[in-house]
Amino acid sequence: MRLAATDFGGSGRGFLLIHGLGGTRQVWEALAPRLEGRAVAVDLRGHGESPDGPWDWEAVLDDLDETAVHFGLDNPVVVGHSLGGILAGRWATRHPECPAAVSLDGHRSATTHPHNFEGLPAKEVEAGLKQLNAMFDAQLEMITRPSREITGALRTAPDMLDALPLFRQVTAPFLLVLATRNLPVPPDLLPLMDAHRAGLRRDVEGIRTQEIDATHGLVTERPAEVAAIVNQFVSNRVRA
């Protein structure tokens, strides 16, 4: 599948940029020019201006492989946001020679397994998840892309529910950037969001992490700071 893509130009090391679920390559417009190299951003299948297609992780990685070849990105650094961050981890397991991969707040769905929440009674977690799932169901009714087939497949996919086991398999240099602020949610869901983050902090042992003072929308909220984190991580671990 030929993906819609934007080549932001530049020279040197190649970067392949992958957006999150429901996003498009436009999310990288402020960040990509700040990367120290040549950045190419894609619209995943079923998103933006790319064609529709069923969601299969290996097929999506094939799409990304073909994009890298098309643009002459030889063994690029892969940076992904949210779903794209999980794909960055999958890319690095497929390509152990990958010079570096970065996941920007891509780790676990907010509606993950109850045992991934820390410090909140089980009954409150159950009630909060029921409310949050209802909110997500209502939001999905309002969107046309990606398709219900894709969103339905991803909402229950093991990697979306918890990508930390995947990240522990990565042997290439890998960084998980964690946002420390909540997205706007009803006040009664704030304890659930705090418990979600506490569970992440409890469980990321063995994975290189860095926190940033931003919400899940860190790519557009703090593009300069995020780019600096990526540039520093890559330059410290990769020879140009």
Side-chain angles (χ1 to χ4, degrees):
M1 180 174 294
R2 302 192 73 176
L3 303 182
T6 298
D7 185 348
F8 288 94
S11 60
R13 183 181 299 117
F15 288 83
L16 184 61
L17 308 181
I18 313 171
H19 62 77
L21 179 61
T24 71
R25 66 191 190 275
Q26 294 177 341
V27 73
W28 302 103
E29 288 181 347
L31 191 152
R34 293 178 163 92
L35 294 174
E36 295 173 353
R38 177 190 175 200
V40 173
V42 300
D43 285 343
L44 294 169
R45 59 169 57 195
H47 291 73
E49 297 178 310
S50 287
D52 287 315
W55 189 269
D56 174 84
W57 292 100
E58 294 304 312
V60 171
L61 289 172
D62 289 343
D63 295 344
L64 297 173
D65 274 330
E66 292 179 12
T67 301
V69 170
H70 176 82
F71 284 96
L73 299 179
D74 182 18
N75 199 20
V77 172
V78 179
V79 182
H81 172 236
S82 194
L83 168 62
I86 297 171
L87 282 166
R90 277 186 165 262
W91 172 281
T93 60
R94 177 186 273 205
H95 299 281
E97 76 285 359
C98 174
V102 180
S103 173
L104 302 174
D105 215 40
H107 37 67
R108 289 172 172 166
S109 167
T111 54
T112 182
H113 301 294
H115 62 255
N116 289 332
F117 296 84
E118 175 72 12
L120 195 64
K123 287 186 177 180
E124 292 186 36
V125 171
E126 182 179 352
L129 286 174
K130 184 177 180 179
Q131 181 180 350
L132 196 60
N133 272 305
M135 287 176 52
F136 288 164
D137 288 342
Q139 290 172 358
L140 292 176
E141 291 288 338
M142 301 170 63
I143 67 172
T144 57
R145 301 200 83 208
S147 67
R148 297 277 184 83
E149 181 183 5
I150 289 179
T151 56
L154 284 172
R155 284 186 71 178
T156 58
D159 284 355
M160 287 290 284
L161 293 174
D162 189 4
L164 300 190
L166 165 69
F167 294 161
R168 291 193 180 92
Q169 299 174 30
V170 175
T171 56
F174 181 80
L175 177 66
L176 173 59
V177 179
L178 297 178
T180 61
R181 295 188 182 186
N182 295 321
L183 282 169
V185 294
D188 55 341
L189 284 178
L190 289 176
L192 184 73
M193 297 295 96
D194 291 339
H196 181 269
R197 185 171 296 105
L200 276 170
R201 287 172 170 157
R202 177 196 65 194
D203 296 338
V204 293
E205 183 177 356
I207 302 170
R208 184 181 288 108
T209 62
Q210 183 169 342
E211 295 191 352
I212 183 171
D213 183 24
T215 75
H216 187 64
L218 68 169
V219 173
T220 52
E221 289 175 8
R222 308 292 290 274
E225 186 173 344
V226 173
I229 290 172
V230 173
N231 287 331
Q232 183 177 23
F233 174 70
V234 173
S235 64
N236 286 345
R237 287 160 180 82
V238 183
R239 292 183 179 179

